[in-house]
Amino acid sequence: MAKPQEKVSFGQRLKQIGMVFRFTAKQDRWFAPLTAAAVLLPLALTVVAVILWGWLWLPIGILITLLAVLIVLNLRSNKAMMNAAEGQPGAAAQIMESMRGDWRVTPAVSSTTQMDMIHLVLGRPGVILLAEGNPQRVRGLLGQEKRRLAKVIGSAPLHDYIIGQGEGELPIRKLRMTLMRLPRTLAPKDVNALDKRLKALTARPQMPKGAIPKNMRPPGGAFRQSRGR
């Protein structure tokens, strides 16, 4: 059973907004002037409206001011986060995991010691491979993953992108919009069925941690006997 989502208190929500404000102000030099404009312009219009038509316009002006500040915060914070994520290993997977909608992300299904990695994403548009790292190396990884996935995805669409700034590559700031524009070709039941097949394909058995239990150890002399054969 899924765990119930924890409710965020009003104080925690304010703390989160404050953290976003500080982060955006540090990353974006235009954030402070735009926020000031979003506060001053509606308030100036509110003062004029109160003088001309009465105090009824005061709460309306305050709400419009708060809305303008939130719009500026949303737009500039997204841009600041994209700029900060540029070139960071694993950034594409983190962005996909934060997207709204039914996006099923498996980070680093394939990787190298040089921090090249392929992320697997499943959604209504089909199967998506996101490559991060050196373009020459990740092309080889993409080819391997395509051949491996071809065994289980059947006729489901397969899209692949190399994240970067070079020719034919997808800038990370355009990742969300690009994937949102893909046609929704799979029904939810098809996504669930394909998800089960992909999980079975990408499952990797892990060695248990700690000492090997005594009842699983080979009997004494077994290795000597095998060498003597």
Side-chain angles (χ1 to χ4, degrees), residues 39-219:
V39 173
L40 295 177
L41 289 179
L43 285 182
L45 293 175
T46 301
V47 172
V48 174
V50 169
I51 294 174
L52 295 178
W53 298 293
W55 291 97
L56 178 63
W57 286 91
L58 180 60
I60 298 176
I62 293 174
L63 291 177
I64 293 175
T65 302
L66 291 175
L67 179 61
V69 171
L70 289 177
I71 291 174
V72 171
L73 176 62
N74 182 54
L75 294 176
R76 304 307 294 188
S77 63
N78 285 335
K79 183 177 181 180
M81 284 188 286
M82 293 301 170
N83 291 336
E86 196 78 49
Q88 296 295 324
Q94 294 178 3
I95 290 173
M96 291 303 305
E97 289 174 338
S98 67
M99 282 181 59
R100 295 181 179 178
D102 188 12
W103 299 98
R104 309 180 188 191
V105 185
T106 306
V109 293
S110 181
S111 60
T112 69
T113 55
Q114 291 85 12
M115 300 302 291
D116 308 308
M117 56 189 72
I118 307 293
H119 310 300
L120 174 63
V121 181
L122 175 61
R124 295 285 304 278
V127 180
I128 304 166
L129 294 175
L130 302 177
E132 291 185 287
N134 182 278
Q136 299 301 324
R137 292 194 296 262
V138 296
R139 285 192 179 95
L141 291 179
L142 276 175
Q144 295 175 9
E145 282 303 309
K146 287 181 180 180
R147 291 190 293 270
R148 195 167 70 104
L149 294 176
K151 303 175 184 177
V152 296
I153 65 174
S155 60
L158 176 60
H159 311 273
D160 62 275
Y161 302 94
I162 297 178
I163 306 300
Q165 297 291 335
E167 184 179 355
E169 299 173 359
L170 177 64
I172 198 167
R173 61 173 56 91
K174 296 182 179 181
L175 175 60
R176 288 181 177 178
M177 188 60 64
T178 299
L179 299 193
M180 291 298 294
R181 289 176 176 174
L182 292 175
R184 268 51 176 167
T185 56
L186 297 182
K189 63 178 182 180
D190 298 328
V191 175
N192 292 331
L194 186 55
D195 189 24
K196 292 180 181 179
R197 298 201 299 270
L198 289 175
K199 285 181 178 177
L201 178 67
T202 57
R204 300 173 182 175
Q206 297 182 354
M207 292 295 293
K209 297 180 180 180
I212 301 177
K214 293 182 178 180
N215 58 356
M216 294 181 63
R217 295 176 182 173

